[in-house]
Amino acid sequence: MTDRYALFGHPLGHSKSPLIHGTFARECHQDMTYELIEAPHDQFAQAVSAFRASGGRGANVTMPFKLEAFALADERSERARVACAVNALKLVEGRLHAENFDGVGLVRDIEANLACPLAGKRVLLMGAGGAARGALLPILATRPALLVIANRTIPKAHAIAESFRTDNALVAGGYDDLGAATFDVVINATSASMRGEMPPVPATAFAAGCVAYDLVYGRELTPFLRLARERGARRLADGVGMLVEQAAEAFLWWRGVRPATATVIAAITVPLT
Ligand code: NDP
């Protein structure tokens, strides 16, 4: 019987996930389907329950259900626990296992696809929402020289750093605290670009030749990426590679086979001009 997978979210009109997982399934010869389930805001648990009852094997989860998926799960990975958010679910012997592959996908895109190893680098991570929380553990695992978390609401930055207070590389605060510090990798994990805004990052934060990464994708050159280019960034990236790499991690988790990602990334990348 063909195995069923799905993406839960609301709204889902723009989602590239069926294309990504459809391509992975074809190339890895997996007998599976991948559908979109746009659950009403107050009916995520019921939608997951119906999916389970009809033989669903696993799912991705996106806005606004990432926190609810965390609460619903029977088992949670360390990455999911640190993020307090979940973007992938898998049914194992009737129990719902939860993972968060967003941060791993981000790190893989930066290190493998953009050829920028993070070890020894000075990294600025802006934002303290689910995406930033998911990125924390995978970035720290690469052993950067420094990881600064900056957020508009400063106590949120302190709160997420609190669980890693033994890691000397990690510093948290507000944008004003950045002073004239410069960074080799500047990551915009805020949602500001969704509205054509940008976080109040000082222009001096971009070291000459840095990598600038905006998690938002499909917006072409965001104000954040434009500033990075003006400041001499050597590489600009949006979140398309992260999206595909987190999907590949979920696919490996579900199916036990790792799909190649380069062709899919190339197919859905919009040039940043
Ligand atoms: P959340 O809503 O959980 O968090 C949003 C964050 O953005 C908060 O830290 C908020 O600050 C900050 N923020 C919003 N507007 C501004 C602004 N104008 N200036 C400064 N800070 C601002 O969102 P997520 O963490 O879940 O997602 C963040 C972005 O990452 C989204 O746009 C999402 O599309 C993208 N994303 C991309 C993925 C990919 O695969 N490429 C995967 C996951 C997410 P405050 O706390 O002060 O409100």
Side-chain angles (χ1 to χ4, degrees):
M1 208 173 96
T2 301
D3 292 333
R4 276 182 78 196
Y5 294 85
L7 170 65
F8 289 87
H10 193 125
L12 287 175
H14 63 286
S15 176
K16 309 242 183 270
S17 294
L19 170 70
I20 295 169
H21 282 288
T23 308
F24 289 168
R26 221 171 28 253
E27 292 183 351
C28 297
H29 310 291
Q30 297 293 302
D31 185 12
M32 60 182 276
T33 60
Y34 189 98
E35 66 206 84
L36 297 178
I37 299 182
E38 197 169 85
H41 282 92
D42 57 350
Q43 282 174 37
F44 173 67
Q46 292 92 320
V48 171
S49 174
F51 182 67
R52 286 172 76 155
S54 66
R57 298 283 304 273
N60 287 126
V61 181
T62 187
M63 300 298 282
F65 300 129
K66 288 183 169 185
L67 301 182
E68 262 188 86
F70 181 81
L72 197 64
D74 301 310
E75 309 280 345
R76 303 167 186 92
S77 71
E78 187 189 8
R79 285 187 294 235
R81 284 199 306 272
V82 169
C84 294
V86 157
N87 88 326
L89 296 168
K90 177 167 77 166
L91 274 154
V92 183
E93 292 169 357
R95 289 181 70 74
L96 195 59
H97 289 239
E99 255 292 3
N100 189 315
F101 294 118
D102 281 338
V104 195
L106 170 68
V107 167
R108 201 174 164 85
D109 194 34
I110 293 174
E111 294 204 308
N113 301 334
L114 304 180
C116 176
L118 293 174
K121 298 280 193 330
R122 293 160 300 163
V123 180
L124 172 59
L125 179 66
M126 297 185 288
R133 287 200 307 271
L136 205 57
L137 200 59
I139 293 177
L140 284 172
T142 67
R143 296 264 144 251
L146 175 69
L147 172 59
V148 175
I149 304 169
N151 196 48
R152 185 174 59 179
T153 309
I154 299 171
K156 277 171 72 179
H158 287 144
I160 63 169
E162 180 63 14
S163 34
F164 294 92
R165 59 181 174 276
T166 53
D167 196 315
N168 293 331
L170 185 62
V171 177
Y175 291 96
D176 288 345
D177 299 326
L178 294 173
T182 61
F183 298 88
D184 308 305
V185 180
V186 183
I187 302 169
N188 183 9
T190 76
S191 54
S193 298
M194 304 278 285
R195 296 173 299 279
E197 299 167 3
M198 69 174 287
V201 56
T204 44
F206 301 90
C210 72
V211 168
Y213 199 108
D214 200 330
L215 265 61
V216 170
Y217 54 89
R219 306 270 157 168
E220 300 181 357
L221 210 57
T222 61
F224 162 74
L225 291 176
R226 201 170 301 124
L227 175 63
R229 186 173 65 179
E230 282 163 21
R231 299 297 298 180
R234 113 182 122 78
R235 201 71 203 254
L236 306 178
D238 69 8
V240 162
M242 172 180 175
L243 175 74
V244 177
E245 293 297 344
Q246 66 74 29
E249 292 291 330
F251 194 91
L252 172 64
W253 190 52
W254 294 330
R255 309 299 299 180
V257 50
R258 167 174 273 291
T261 51
T263 318
V264 190
I265 293 175
I268 62 176
T269 293
V270 177
L272 297 172
T273 52

